[in-house]
């Protein structure tokens, strides 16, 4: 157990639907990062939150959004789902938001299948 | 900006043989470099990291990597492969930013290591 909890582990949904993925960071970590892993795109950085504020944005589609709540858990919302959104979505956390950092701790991921 | 190139998407070695997984990076600031391992249907686990100081870094499971600035490389090695090393390995880079900038990790495309008996 890495200390980063992601739910659900698996999600199957239809095209056009909306889903929410949840991540609880490791205790004491202030930063949460979301990554998408697919066979054709590899590991793509989506977005980072630090202590409730958006810190960096990567290759995140406009149909996707995220937030980090006061208790530091984060949610990734995916809407108007397409077949191509099927992927493994990882959350990671780290103690720092900027400056020197020494790597993340990853959760075990949510496997999203859009049918 | 940073980027990582992993040479060889698939590497196959015999059990007991040397493992060498190649990673070259590009970074506009002093880099921090990482190797992660991903076993099937699992998340990513940190193998080792280079931040500052000693350029030869030792990690878990007998792996090590050497930071070579002149070659912009951070290759992963293990003297003797074990069947349990079969997994996908990712090299990643972030920058030594200060003052609140993001420290997002940029990953390579991964190398799938197969270990033959």
């Amino acid at each position: 157990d890495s200390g980063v909890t992601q739910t659900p582990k698996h999600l199957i949904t239809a095209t056009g639907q909306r889903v929410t993925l949840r991540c609880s960071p490791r205790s004491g970590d202030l930063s949460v990062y979301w990554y998408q892993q697919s066979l054709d795109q590899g590991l793509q950085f989506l977005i980072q939150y630090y202590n409730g504020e958006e810190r960096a944005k990567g290759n995140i589609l406009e149909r996707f959004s995220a937030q980090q709540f006061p208790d530091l858990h984060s949610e990734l919302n995916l809407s108007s789902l397409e077949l191509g959104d099927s992927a493994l979505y990882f959350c990671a956390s780290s103690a720092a938001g900027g400056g020197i950092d020494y790597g993340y701790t990853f959760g075990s991921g949510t496997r999203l299948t859009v049918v | 900006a940073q980027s990582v190139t992993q040479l060889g998407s698939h590497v196959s070695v015999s059990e007991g043989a040397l493992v060498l997984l190649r990673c070259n990076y590009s970074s506009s600031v002093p880099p921090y470099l990482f190797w992660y391992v991903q076993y099937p249907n699992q998340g990513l686990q940190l193998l080792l990291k280079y931040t500052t100081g000693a350029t030869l870094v030792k990690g878990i499971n007998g792996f090590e990597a050497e930071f070579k600035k002149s070659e912009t490389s951070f290759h992963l090695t293990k003297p003797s492969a074990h069947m349990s090393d079969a997994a996908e390995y990712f090299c990643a880079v972030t920058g030594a930013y200060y003052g609140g900038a993001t420290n997002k990790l940029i990953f390579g495309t991964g190398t799938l290591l197969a270990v033959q008996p």
Side-chain angles (χ1 to χ4, degrees):
Chain A
D1 182 6
S2 67
V4 177
T5 303
Q6 289 189 249
T7 56
K9 292 192 181 305
H10 302 276
L11 199 49
I12 302 175
T13 190
T15 54
Q17 295 297 305
R18 172 189 169 95
V19 297
T20 298
L21 313 184
R22 181 187 170 101
C23 170
S24 294
R26 197 177 52 169
S27 179
D29 285 355
L30 299 178
S31 272
V32 170
Y33 311 79
W34 286 97
Y35 282 82
Q36 179 193 58
Q37 185 179 33
S38 61
L39 286 176
D40 54 344
Q41 296 286 331
L43 267 165
Q44 295 289 314
F45 169 71
L46 295 178
I47 197 164
Q48 175 196 1
Y49 277 82
Y50 173 69
N51 203 20
E53 295 187 0
E54 182 183 305
R55 179 60 64 91
K57 193 175 265 192
N59 301 322
I60 188 166
L61 300 172
E62 287 190 8
R63 301 184 285 108
F64 296 0
S65 64
Q67 53 184 328
Q68 186 178 28
F69 295 86
D71 67 352
L72 300 178
H73 91 271
S74 177
E75 293 181 356
L76 179 67
N77 299 297
L78 314 177
S79 61
S80 302
L81 285 168
E82 302 175 358
L83 296 178
D85 298 327
S86 296
L88 197 51
Y89 291 84
F90 284 109
C91 165
S93 72
S94 72
I100 299 173
D101 194 38
Y102 303 102
Y104 308 164
T105 301
F106 278 84
S108 57
T110 294
R111 183 169 295 281
L112 173 67
T113 303
V114 182
V115 297
Chain B
Q2 284 101 19
S3 67
V4 170
T5 301
Q6 290 185 242
L7 298 174
S9 58
H10 292 78
V11 170
S12 181
V13 300
S14 299
E15 192 173 19
L18 171 71
V19 175
L20 171 60
L21 305 182
R22 299 179 186 274
C23 172
N24 288 90
Y25 71 90
S26 172
S27 179
S28 55
V29 297
Y32 292 157
L33 295 156
F34 306 82
W35 277 99
Y36 282 84
V37 61
Q38 186 179 26
Y39 297 100
N41 300 313
Q42 294 189 26
L44 282 81
Q45 180 183 5
L46 180 65
L47 270 180
L48 49 78
K49 61 196 177 196
Y50 167 78
T51 54
T52 57
T55 55
L56 182 61
V57 179
K58 295 186 184 299
I60 62 172
N61 301 338
F63 284 93
E64 62 183 36
E66 186 170 11
F67 171 63
K68 292 187 177 180
K69 185 178 179 180
S70 61
E71 299 176 9
T72 61
S73 69
F74 190 58
H75 301 330
L76 182 70
T77 60
K78 182 174 181 177
S80 177
H82 192 272
M83 297 295 289
S84 61
D85 295 327
E88 190 156 21
Y89 293 80
F90 293 91
C91 183
V93 64
T94 188
Y97 295 105
Y98 297 86
T102 182
N103 58 343
K104 64 180 186 290
L105 278 176
I106 303 300
F107 285 88
T109 51
T111 297
L112 190 61
L113 176 66
V115 182
Q116 308 299 329

